[in-house]
Structures are given as structure tokens and as C-alpha cells.
Amino acid sequence: MPTTITICDTCKRDGWTAGTELSDGEALAALVEAAARGIDGVQTRRHSCLMGCSGACNIALQAPGKMAYTLGRFDPTAEAAQGIVDYARMHAQTDTGVVPFRQWPPAIKGHFVTRHPPLSA
């Protein structure tokens, strides 16, 4: 089963102003979707509000039977998007969803908010 990156498309970071064409979450979602295109074992989806508004921009990583993670406080940049996708690819390649810290892409370090154990079958 693939690892799914769920990107909050309504996130607005401090300083976002009404009338801006895209929310910060929409901008990050577009970057993550582009970076994930063609990557085996990784899929993306958008969701409106992951309820992490104080730490926008937020994403969740999930796959059946694996540890799940919520990450936030991203800037909507290509570097952040690539780090998210690189981590999701590594998550997909593990049996448990646990990726050793030494393998984490620098762009995601310091962005973990929560981790959730897999649900029982």
C-alpha cells in the first residue's frame, strides 16, 4: 500500500492577507503534488483543515499498518515539498513506517508535530 500525503489546503501562515490568490496550504499542496508526480509508493490528496492552524502549513503521512505522522510549520517552498515527498517515499519503503532519524531529509527536521500508532486490524 502506498504512503498518502494529506496536505491541508486551507492553511494560512502568519502574514497571509485576504485577497491573496492562493492560501499557503494551496501553494504547498501544488508543490507537493508536483514533487510526488511519478514517485512509486507515494500518493497525495488535499483536505480542508487538519486543525493545526497555529502551526500552518500542515501535512499528514499515513499508510495502512504503519506509524502515521503529522508535520507542520512549513513554508510553501519547493525545498519543503521535496523533503516531504522524500520522507514519504522512505516511509513507504519501510514495514513499520519508522524512518531512522539519520535518514530524514533536512527539510523536514523540526517539523514533526505528532505520531500515531497504526490501528489494529
Side-chain angles (χ1 to χ4, degrees), residues 47-92:
H47 184 78
S48 295
C49 195
L50 292 177
M51 297 183 75
C53 302
S54 65
C57 293
N58 298 287
I59 64 105
L61 291 169
Q62 301 164 291
K66 296 184 179 187
M67 293 295 282
Y69 299 91
T70 305
L71 293 84
R73 301 178 305 273
F74 286 106
D75 291 328
T77 65
E79 178 184 8
Q82 190 61 58
I84 291 165
V85 171
D86 289 345
Y87 185 82
R89 182 184 44 75
M90 290 185 267
H91 181 273

